[in-house]
Each structure stands twice: as C-alpha cells, then as structure tokens.
C-alpha cells in the first residue's frame, strides 16, 4: 500500500478553502435556495435549473469569498499544526555537526565518534626511502 502524501502549506490552503466552500454552500445555500423557490412559480425543469443557477451562483461566490477571508485571517486549513520550525528537527536539514559555525566547505568533515577519523595520519615511507 502506498503511503499517503502530505504537503506543507505556507499561507492559505486553497484545497481547504474549496472543500469548506463546498460543504458550507450545501449546508447553508440549499435551504436558502429552497426557501427562495417558494416565492416563484417554477413550471418546468428548465425553469428550475435556471433558478438554481441564478440563486446558487451568488451564494457560492459569497461563501467562497467569506471562507477565503476567514482562512487568510485565522490561518485555517493548516491541519491544526502549531509546530515551531525553529527546534531543528525539520526533515531534510543538513545532518552534519558544525558546532563552531565554520562552513568553509574546504575541510573534510569527520564524525566525532569515529576513532579512525580522529587518529593522526600513519607514517608512510616512499619506495626510495625503503630501498635507500
């Protein structure tokens, strides 16, 4: 089974805005359209469809704008995560330990727990020194 993909959002989560707009429009807009339909005579299915479009489109638009403004002001739709990204446990960070802040890039970085990397270089002799 494939893992579920997750996304990190900065700013307004427009997928949340669209889903919330859909649900709120059905929950609020459908009763409003039904109540308004009692005030007019709708004799055919075409008249009913035209009425639904004339009434439903403004309800949908007003709902979408209201939900988008709500999401922008309250940072809604972020999945409820109140995480602080300054703790350093963020995925994808550089895992090297550079405690002195020196990031020259020209030095070989070693792990402090590796005894071989911490050992001084071995004394090597050249072939001429061995023969000579």
């Amino acid at each position: 089974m494939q893992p579920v993909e997750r996304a990190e959002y900065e700013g307004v989560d427009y997928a949340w805005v669209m889903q919330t707009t859909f649900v709120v429009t059905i929950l609020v807009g459908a009763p409003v359209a039904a109540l308004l339909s009692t005030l007019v005579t709708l004799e055919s299915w075409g008249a009913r469809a035209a009425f639904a479009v004339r009434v439903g489109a403004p309800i949908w638009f007003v709902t979408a704008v209201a939900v988008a403004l709500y999401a922008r002001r309250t940072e809604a739709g972020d999945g409820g995560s109140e995480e602080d990204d300054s703790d350093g446990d963020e995925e994808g960070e550089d895992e090297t330990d550079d405690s002195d802040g020196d990031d020259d890039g020209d030095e070989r970085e070693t792990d402090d727990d590796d005894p071989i990397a911490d050992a001084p270089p071995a004394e090597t002799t050249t072939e001429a020194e061995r023969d000579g």
Side-chain angles (χ1 to χ4, degrees), residues 37-118:
S37 70
T38 61
L39 303 175
V40 293
T41 304
L42 302 171
E43 298 177 1
S44 68
W45 283 105
R48 292 176 184 144
F51 177 81
V53 169
R54 282 194 320 266
V55 172
I59 292 172
W60 185 277
F61 181 76
V62 169
T63 305
V65 170
V67 169
L69 290 175
Y70 174 79
R72 182 171 293 177
R73 288 186 185 203
T74 62
E75 298 179 14
D78 63 355
S81 63
E82 301 276 335
E83 295 177 4
D84 184 15
D85 290 338
S86 63
D87 61 358
D89 293 336
E90 193 172 305
E91 287 185 28
E93 277 191 11
D94 188 15
E95 294 181 6
T96 59
D97 184 19
D98 194 13
S99 59
D100 64 348
D102 187 13
D103 192 18
D104 294 34
D106 58 349
E107 295 180 333
R108 184 177 76 106
E109 295 190 24
T110 60
D111 189 5
D112 293 336
D113 297 332
D114 187 7
I116 295 174
D118 293 338

Side-chain angles (χ1 to χ4, degrees), residues 19-37 51-52 55-64 66-67:
Q19 292 169 351
T20 305
T21 299
F22 178 77
V23 171
V24 171
T25 301
I26 290 174
L27 293 176
V28 174
V32 169
L35 287 174
L36 291 175
S37 70
F51 177 81
V55 172
I59 292 172
W60 185 277
F61 181 76
V62 169
T63 305
V67 169

Side-chain angles (χ1 to χ4, degrees), residues 117-128:
D118 293 338
E123 300 269 339
T124 57
T125 57
T126 61
E127 191 173 323

